[in-house]
Amino acid sequence: MRKRNKFKHGVYLLVALAMLVYAMPRLSLANGPSWVFGFGVVWSIFAFLVIAAHLHFIIGVDEEKAKRLEAVRKHKLEQWPGKWSEEGRVTQR
């Protein structure tokens, strides 16, 4: 499951990079302050944020943090005063 998820993010990263490479020469960023210039800057920033988010996931910066959070969640579930049923409801012992 984890490999498929990384593959999906890799495909999205490539699509975002291709979109950025295609659009950068067409964006008018040299005309100075105008609505067209503002759109080009905002669009470029958004594209870089999308690329950075996918890189962040692919590199796995938060994997250790996710493992620690899962351990805390399991520990809290063990300490819960009821027992979790299979439907997701709490039943008393």
Side-chain angles (χ1 to χ4, degrees), residues 26-81:
R26 289 162 178 75
L27 290 175
S28 179
L29 298 176
N31 293 339
S34 68
W35 288 104
V36 175
F37 177 78
F39 173 79
V41 169
V42 170
W43 192 92
S44 300
I45 290 171
F46 179 70
F48 283 120
L49 283 174
V50 169
I51 291 167
H54 288 296
L55 277 175
H56 181 79
F57 183 84
I58 291 170
I59 293 172
V61 175
D62 285 339
E63 283 184 20
E64 183 63 34
K65 183 178 179 182
K67 288 178 185 176
R68 284 185 279 146
L69 287 173
E70 182 66 22
V72 168
R73 187 186 69 79
K74 284 182 181 179
H75 182 68
K76 284 185 177 183
L77 283 176
E78 289 170 0
Q79 291 181 342
W80 192 261

